[in-house]
Amino acid sequence: MGLDSREFVYQLFSEFYSDPANAVPAPPLAHQREFGYLMFREKFMVRHRRFEQIANFRVVLADTVPSDVYHSCAYYDNPDFDMDKKGWIGSDVVFDIDADHIPTACNKIHDEFRCVACGFEGRGTTPEVCPCCGATKFETKIWACDLCIASARNEVAKLLDMLENDFGFAQDEVRVFFSGHRGYHIHLESETIRSLDAMARREIVDYVTGLGLSLLEKNKPKPQEEKPQKKPSVKKFNLHNYGWNRRLKRGMQTFLESALPADLKEAGLQNKTLLESKETIIKRAINEGLWESIPGVSVQTWLKLTEHIRQEQAAKIDTVVTTDTHRLIRMNGTLHGKTGLKKVEFKSKELQSFDPFTEAVAFKKGKVKVLVSDAPEFRMSGETLGPYKNQTVELPVAAAVLLICKKRAEVAP
């Protein structure tokens, strides 16, 4: 963003953090956490800060005006010491669900990338390596539309279902936040899970992503067979009625009830029996467990179908965030430097009704003229705006801040 535009956003951030009405809430056991923030003007990270009273941190925010604010998921004896001397006590279990990790059709419409080395440009998901020169550094322009948010929300719903019904967490033990950008954060702050090490957290990650499922079991010899023949063990497909197996059975039934030939093709399946005998499959195989009673459907077909269902039922999380016991996470009630929206907490039961483009809006008054280079249609505070292309328009301040932070607009002269 240009100098005038940067100063415009800086002043708004300054007013936000100076207003007592926007006082950021304290995380649990704030005095045992490390705090950090990214300076707005200087663009460097300040870390390893400790605050006995959250009121003191609020003063720092008003004085320094950061673009982004964080605190540690971990609890320490000495949060302000270097990492090897902090004295790790424990850490919340945190999940990050972001549209960046979810393939959506809208990515090719509003997300752009450009190779810094050779200038190669494209739309959609940014590649890891430039196909032209092999470089790995890109300039990106990403956007958050309703489809992005809906895709992330769907992943949150799957995760919450697992946490509450499979892991047994109560709703009041699971804190849900809109991240301020393109996704959501889920915090588990229960004392019973704080001491889990990285390996244990990896097990949680494997479960919510459905990795390592065992769907085959060996045929057991009949009781009267005292000397079973020495033949290779035959494995059969089977699903029981709890945990991931229950989830797979439920997903299979939903899939088959509405499946068309194109759906089978997308799942990599060519077995027409799955469509021609769907009612029998649901009744005898899924509901009664008689998987071998369906003529023409092999164990390999069942495995391929369940793998497709696993991918649909798994929660797409940023696995690194959950396993990292020293992670910094964006602080509740603070502004996101890429959007000007707030990180906001809401009840899990409000997931479907929570509208980030209304309830996470920080700047609700005033309008400003901006020169918009390129912006798709978007919503802000109940208004539908855009699309814009190389034009000067007067926008609500929140919408203008979003476009400026996204490097799609400048304050008009």
Side-chain angles (χ1 to χ4, degrees), residues 57-125:
F57 187 53
R58 293 170 184 150
V59 172
V60 170
L61 295 181
D63 288 344
T64 59
V65 191
S67 63
D68 301 273
V69 184
Y70 308 90
H71 65 68
S72 65
C73 299
Y75 304 89
Y76 300 105
D77 288 323
N78 305 295
D80 50 341
F81 285 24
D82 291 339
M83 291 304 300
D84 59 342
K85 299 177 182 177
K86 285 183 183 294
W88 189 85
I89 299 172
S91 178
D92 302 328
V93 174
V94 174
F95 301 89
D96 180 15
I97 291 177
D98 195 293
D100 289 355
H101 306 115
I102 306 168
T104 58
C106 58
N107 286 348
K108 293 182 179 180
I109 299 173
H110 54 56
D111 289 356
E112 306 171 17
F113 60 85
R114 178 181 178 277
C115 176
V116 173
C118 72
F120 173 78
E121 297 179 342
R123 288 182 174 270
T125 303

Side-chain angles (χ1 to χ4, degrees), residues 213 215 237 239 244 247-257 259-260 263-271 273-275 278 281-282 285-286 291 297-313:
L213 291 174
L215 307 176
F237 180 84
L239 294 176
W244 253 102
R247 200 172 300 282
L248 289 173
K249 290 174 72 172
R250 186 175 62 191
M252 289 171 70
Q253 179 167 341
T254 301
F255 175 81
L256 290 173
E257 285 174 343
L260 299 172
D263 299 313
L264 288 190
K265 184 177 180 180
E266 182 183 348
L269 294 162
Q270 298 177 344
N271 194 320
T273 304
L274 295 174
L275 295 181
K278 62 171 64 178
I281 291 173
I282 291 172
I286 297 176
W291 301 96
V297 182
S298 67
V299 170
Q300 291 304 315
T301 298
W302 291 130
L303 290 175
K304 186 172 287 189
L305 175 58
T306 52
E307 173 56 21
H308 177 71
I309 301 301
R310 180 196 71 79
Q311 293 179 20
E312 289 189 337
Q313 294 289 317

Side-chain angles (χ1 to χ4, degrees), residues 74-259:
Y75 304 89
Y76 300 105
D77 288 323
N78 305 295
D80 50 341
F81 285 24
D82 291 339
M83 291 304 300
D84 59 342
K85 299 177 182 177
K86 285 183 183 294
W88 189 85
I89 299 172
S91 178
D92 302 328
V93 174
V94 174
F95 301 89
D96 180 15
I97 291 177
D98 195 293
D100 289 355
H101 306 115
I102 306 168
T104 58
C106 58
N107 286 348
K108 293 182 179 180
I109 299 173
H110 54 56
D111 289 356
E112 306 171 17
F113 60 85
R114 178 181 178 277
C115 176
V116 173
C118 72
F120 173 78
E121 297 179 342
R123 288 182 174 270
T125 303
T126 304
E128 294 184 7
V129 178
C130 177
C132 290
C133 70
T136 57
K137 190 173 182 180
F138 296 87
E139 294 176 348
T140 60
K141 282 187 177 181
I142 59 175
W143 193 255
C145 70
D146 283 322
L147 181 57
C148 295
I149 298 300
S151 299
R153 185 189 299 126
N154 183 52
E155 300 305 318
V156 174
K158 290 188 284 187
L159 176 61
L160 292 177
D161 181 44
M162 293 183 205
L163 294 177
E164 294 171 10
N165 295 314
D166 294 6
F167 286 89
F169 287 100
Q171 282 192 356
D172 60 1
E173 293 180 296
V174 182
R175 301 183 66 189
V176 186
F177 304 83
F178 170 64
S179 71
H181 193 202
R182 303 216 302 177
Y184 299 85
H185 297 160
I186 293 85
H187 296 202
L188 301 178
E189 296 171 347
S190 171
E191 189 173 351
T192 57
I193 50 88
R194 286 178 191 161
S195 62
L196 295 179
D197 61 14
M199 188 65 70
R201 292 162 196 259
R202 180 77 246 179
E203 291 290 331
I204 295 174
V205 165
D206 287 351
Y207 187 90
V208 301
T209 56
L211 294 181
L213 291 174
S214 179
L215 307 176
L216 296 177
E217 60 181 33
K218 293 180 180 180
N219 274 339
K220 297 179 181 178
K222 297 179 181 180
Q224 65 269 25
E225 292 180 355
E226 297 180 1
K227 296 181 179 180
Q229 296 179 356
K230 293 183 179 180
K231 294 182 179 179
S233 296
V234 178
K235 292 186 176 182
K236 63 178 182 178
F237 180 84
N238 189 38
L239 294 176
H240 48 68
N241 291 313
Y242 55 89
W244 253 102
N245 279 223
R246 174 181 59 85
R247 200 172 300 282
L248 289 173
K249 290 174 72 172
R250 186 175 62 191
M252 289 171 70
Q253 179 167 341
T254 301
F255 175 81
L256 290 173
E257 285 174 343
S258 60

